[in-house]
Amino acid sequence: MEEELDPEIAALINGADNGDSSEDSVPITVEEIDIPTNHKSLFTKSIDEVVHGGGNKSIHDVDLSKKEFDKIENPLNETPSQVFNDTKYYKTALTGENASAQRVHQVLSKYLTCQDPKDRAVYRQQIVTAYWELIRGMVGKMVDPNVPMPKRMLVRFGVLLPSLFKAEQKDFFSKIVVENRTKEPILYVDEWFKEIATGRMTNSATDEKKIPKKTANMTADEANMAEQSRLMQLQSKNSGKLQSAENLLGIKENERTMLEGNLKEKVTALTEHQPLLGMEPHCQSYTDFQKKIFSEISDIMHRLSKNDKELSKCLSEYTEAKHTYDAVQDKMANHDGAEIMTTNDTEAVKIEFETVRQMAKMTIGRRGNQFPIFTREFYHCTEKGTGSRENVIEIMRWIESIDPGVFCRIHKNIPNRIVPYVCLVPTYGDRGFCWEPFDRYNRVTSRGRIVIPMYPKDLKIAVLTAVADLRWQVAKEKASYYWMEEGLTGQYYQHIEQMKLKGDLKEFFIEDYILWMTKESTGVQRLEKDVRGIFWRNMPFPKELKEELRKRSLVYDELCKKDANREMSDGY
């Protein structure tokens, strides 16, 4: 038999934040109810429209031509949603979730009414376990566009009881944009599970390997899913090759166009002759300036010949990559059963749930606040300090304005800007981190994955720790076996060794990166001289910022002079 909430809790659920209610306080139970139609309105659009921002371009397609984030003009909706004002929000969120919902219902009732601090601490810990068991059963439903909004908001924001908002908090959360208008790969956790379920994203990497089932023992659905997974891996790998080949081909084509344009100018200048005064129509011979053009044209022809060989090779690689990619696409289109985009891979979602739970713990740390439900008791963020999609993008845009190469990966000496997937988890953690620097099947153009807590003490620091972690891991993977000797990680490692510091090397780097971005970029010197030099060379500020800094201090002026010397010696 289901336990009824204490009348005091019922009043808290149904009443306003000030405790007043226009209705009598009625005990509430978790039971099957009709879902109000207004909860469905925001998610009756197609999955592509909601998650991908409504265009043909998917968030999973890496656009190498894009150089920066678009400025967020409207971070909030003007008209608030009414979902948090629904008196049946709590019951709708827990409806149909079986024993786990009842467990959360019972423990939360005791926690909110308990007066003894010791008992309250026990109930608080019990809520953590009960809540995650509840979410475990809900994440597979996130692929359904008609899932009730309270369920989605519970998974996305951790909001189980809207009455635990303050009035201004409820108004703010009601105005947060639900759909992904930015078309950037920054996802709330419910969207993350949806992308995993539909097969558009692969599971996040883990140390534990999935043991493949023998084909003979698979059901038709399992075999279909296994084949789809295989094709998705092939698609990811071939997509990277195709994008890289196309990017290189475009660069060589642009180089040829530039050289041909230069050649036309030289030939035009060469064919222009001044008439001989009094001896018309005869013209003068080549001038000294025109004679110099002979060697310049020869040099251009030599460069065009070299470019043609490189372009032919790039064209051949692109043609081969395009053929392979199209072949995989055809296989995916002709694959038996449901199309990939409408798949609901519940097994993949179950695996990803365990990973996301681990991600959530890592944002909090061992001594942090593990409480998983949104409550004004623990939420102390400002509106701009809350980890909404729009706020996180604005911080990432600021980071990229100071560290332009932060999301770039070098391939064949060409920087490719690749924004990582960002998973926004509703925790009271303070640290973001990098889960993986890139997909193991596509190291060239695949997106990495970083995780950011939504309710930290300082959102900018939380994003910076995640980006610094990404920076470190990408540099370490690039250097491979020589990461202690070469590149950013090698130089930094050798510095720490010289200083004889003990501790986590990556943590030292992250702390220094935060100082680099927040202090050194403003001219406030907080780093060791050697560290400043390492960062200046490997993670340079934009040229405009460098020029501004050199006016403020001789330290930065000296670094700029070293830049000029390296450029002159072609060693930069």
Side-chain angles (χ1 to χ4, degrees):
M1 182 176 179
E2 292 183 336
E3 179 181 322
E4 291 189 343
L5 281 178
D6 183 279
E8 184 177 347
I9 304 301
L12 180 63
I13 295 171
N14 282 330
D17 291 331
N18 59 12
D20 295 331
S21 178
S22 57
E23 300 178 357
D24 295 331
S25 296
V26 181
I28 293 179
T29 60
V30 182
E31 57 188 7
E32 293 293 336
I33 59 172
D34 293 328
I35 298 171
T37 55
N38 66 324
H39 291 329
K40 299 179 181 180
S41 59
L42 285 174
F43 277 86
T44 52
K45 299 178 181 180
S46 71
I47 293 175
D48 279 337
E49 287 180 315
V50 175
V51 180
H52 300 166
N56 295 326
K57 193 77 172 178
S58 165
I59 59 169
H60 307 296
D61 296 328
V62 177
D63 185 358
L64 296 178
S65 65
K66 192 169 184 181
K67 301 304 179 185
E68 60 183 6
F69 291 101
D70 295 330
K71 184 173 176 58
I72 304 294
E73 299 295 341
N74 299 306
L76 296 173
N77 287 322
E78 293 184 5
T79 305
S81 164
Q82 295 303 309
V83 62
F84 298 121
N85 291 325
D86 188 354
T87 56
K88 293 183 178 180
Y89 179 101
Y90 176 76
K91 291 199 292 185
T92 306
L94 296 184
T95 292
E97 302 304 333
N98 303 322
S100 59
Q102 186 60 33
R103 177 65 177 159
V104 170
H105 172 66
Q106 292 170 345
V107 178
L108 183 62
S109 302
K110 294 175 183 177
Y111 173 78
L112 292 175
T113 56
C114 181
Q115 300 298 320
D116 188 313
K118 292 183 179 179
D119 289 342
R120 188 175 172 85
V122 172
Y123 293 138
R124 176 176 166 178
Q125 185 57 42
Q126 290 177 351
I127 285 175
V128 176
T129 304
Y131 172 86
W132 283 107
E133 281 304 308
L134 171 65
I135 298 300
R136 184 196 302 274
M138 296 178 67
V139 292
K141 301 175 182 179
M142 296 300 105
V143 73
D144 182 3
N146 294 318
V147 69
M149 279 293 283
K151 291 182 183 293
R152 192 173 292 278
M153 295 298 100
L154 173 58
V155 175
R156 178 175 294 197
F157 298 131
V159 176
L160 178 58
L161 273 174
S163 52
L164 295 180
F165 280 124
K166 291 181 180 179
E168 62 272 19
Q169 293 169 355
K170 181 190 287 187
D171 182 63
F172 166 62
F173 274 78
S174 297
K175 291 181 178 179
I176 292 178
V177 179
V178 173
E179 67 275 17
N180 188 353
R181 297 173 183 171
T182 66
K183 300 184 182 180
E184 296 290 355
I186 287 76
L187 303 175
Y188 291 111
V189 74
D190 63 299
E191 297 172 337
W192 190 273
F193 286 121
K194 179 161 50 179
E195 294 302 282
I196 296 293
T198 55
R200 286 187 289 257
M201 277 176 65
T202 57
N203 284 92
S204 300
T206 57
D207 293 333
E208 298 179 4
K209 294 183 179 180
K210 290 175 65 178
I211 301 174
K213 295 182 179 180
K214 292 183 179 179
T215 307
N217 298 329
M218 287 185 179
T219 65
D221 288 342
E222 288 174 340
N224 184 48
M225 195 62 64
E227 178 62 11
Q228 287 185 358
S229 177
R230 187 184 73 83
L231 291 174
M232 286 296 294
Q233 290 176 3
L234 279 174
Q235 184 193 41
S236 176
K237 186 175 181 179
N238 291 322
S239 175
K241 287 183 178 179
L242 178 62
Q243 287 176 313
S244 177
E246 187 172 15
N247 192 37
L248 286 169
L249 180 61
I251 289 171
K252 293 303 173 184
E253 287 177 335
N254 289 336
E255 182 183 345
R256 182 177 64 181
T257 301
M258 181 188 71
L259 288 171
E260 288 176 342
N262 196 8
L263 178 62
K264 288 178 181 178
E265 291 178 1
K266 299 296 182 184
V267 171
T268 300
L270 194 65
T271 57
E272 292 178 348
H273 304 290
Q274 296 297 323
L276 284 170
L277 295 178
M279 300 182 185
E280 293 82 356
H282 303 292
C283 298
Q284 294 181 0
S285 60
Y286 290 120
T287 64
D288 291 340
F289 173 77
Q290 287 176 316
K291 289 176 182 178
K292 290 180 181 179
I293 293 179
F294 290 145
S295 60
E296 293 175 0
I297 289 178
S298 177
D299 179 59
I300 292 174
M301 296 300 293
H302 178 73
R303 291 166 64 187
L304 276 172
S305 178
K306 182 182 177 182
N307 171 271
D308 186 61
K309 292 178 182 178
E310 294 172 346
L311 192 148
S312 297
K313 183 180 178 182
C314 290
L315 185 58
S316 177
E317 291 176 354
Y318 173 74
T319 304
E320 183 181 351
K322 184 74 165 61
H323 176 74
T324 306
Y325 181 82
D326 289 343
V328 174
Q329 290 294 97
D330 290 342
K331 285 183 180 180
M332 293 176 69
N334 298 326
H335 184 58
D336 293 334
E339 289 188 8
I340 299 262
M341 302 305 278
T342 57
T343 299
N344 186 359
D345 189 347
T346 54
E347 188 64 30
V349 173
K350 289 178 183 178
I351 294 170
E352 191 68 15
F353 167 78
E354 299 299 335
T355 305
V356 170
R357 184 175 182 182
Q358 184 65 26
M359 290 175 176
K361 289 180 180 179
M362 289 174 65
T363 65
I364 298 165
R366 294 180 180 178
R367 300 182 181 180
N369 180 5
Q370 300 283 342
F371 196 76
I373 296 173
F374 181 95
T375 169
R376 57 176 172 259
E377 181 182 358
F378 303 128
Y379 174 82
H380 303 296
C381 304
T382 61
E383 289 189 3
K384 288 191 175 182
T386 301
S388 67
R389 183 181 357 246
E390 287 71 21
N391 287 342
V392 169
I393 289 176
E394 277 298 289
I395 293 175
M396 292 175 73
R397 196 170 74 88
W398 166 77
I399 291 173
E400 199 170 26
S401 71
I402 296 174
D403 182 4
V406 65
F407 300 125
C408 289
R409 290 210 295 273
I410 307 297
H411 178 64
K412 294 186 177 179
N413 294 323
I414 297 171
N416 294 327
R417 179 183 180 271
I418 304 168
V419 178
Y421 288 118
V422 180
C423 183
L424 305 176
V425 292
T427 67
Y428 300 103
D430 291 320
R431 290 179 64 86
F433 61 90
C434 173
W435 185 263
E436 53 186 293
F438 39 70
D439 190 297
R440 60 184 179 275
Y441 296 108
N442 175 12
R443 299 166 68 94
V444 179
T445 60
S446 64
R447 300 189 190 277
R449 302 188 184 199
I450 65 176
V451 184
I452 295 173
M454 292 186 65
Y455 312 132
K457 292 177 183 176
D458 189 324
L459 182 60
K460 182 178 284 188
I461 297 300
V463 178
L464 277 171
T465 55
V467 169
D469 195 357
L470 176 70
R471 259 273 191 203
W472 178 263
Q473 291 199 45
V474 169
K476 189 175 180 181
E477 289 291 336
K478 179 185 176 183
S480 189
Y481 300 110
Y482 305 100
W483 72 269
M484 292 186 289
E485 302 169 20
E486 298 179 356
L488 173 63
T489 56
Q491 294 172 33
Y492 191 80
Y493 171 81
Q494 290 164 23
H495 164 74
I496 296 298
E497 283 289 294
Q498 289 175 359
M499 298 295 292
K500 297 183 179 180
L501 298 176
K502 302 297 181 183
D504 189 326
L505 180 65
K506 186 170 72 172
E507 286 301 310
F508 286 138
F509 174 82
I510 290 173
E511 291 174 8
D512 283 343
Y513 184 82
I514 291 172
L515 290 175
W516 178 248
M517 297 296 292
T518 59
K519 299 298 183 181
E520 296 280 345
S521 67
T522 62
V524 179
Q525 297 164 36
R526 288 288 182 271
L527 293 175
E528 294 281 344
K529 179 181 178 181
D530 289 345
V531 174
R532 184 183 299 111
I534 292 168
F535 283 13
W536 186 274
R537 292 189 301 273
N538 293 278
M539 300 184 296
F541 294 136
K543 188 174 181 180
E544 300 78 13
L545 180 55
K546 283 184 174 183
E547 290 301 320
E548 184 179 336
L549 288 173
R550 75 183 304 176
K551 298 175 184 176
R552 298 188 181 188
S553 170
L554 291 174
V555 170
Y556 301 111
D557 183 56
E558 186 66 27
L559 288 168
C560 287
K561 289 178 180 177
K562 289 182 179 179
D563 281 349
N565 292 336
R566 277 192 294 270
E567 287 179 357
M568 290 179 65
S569 62
D570 294 327
Y572 188 67

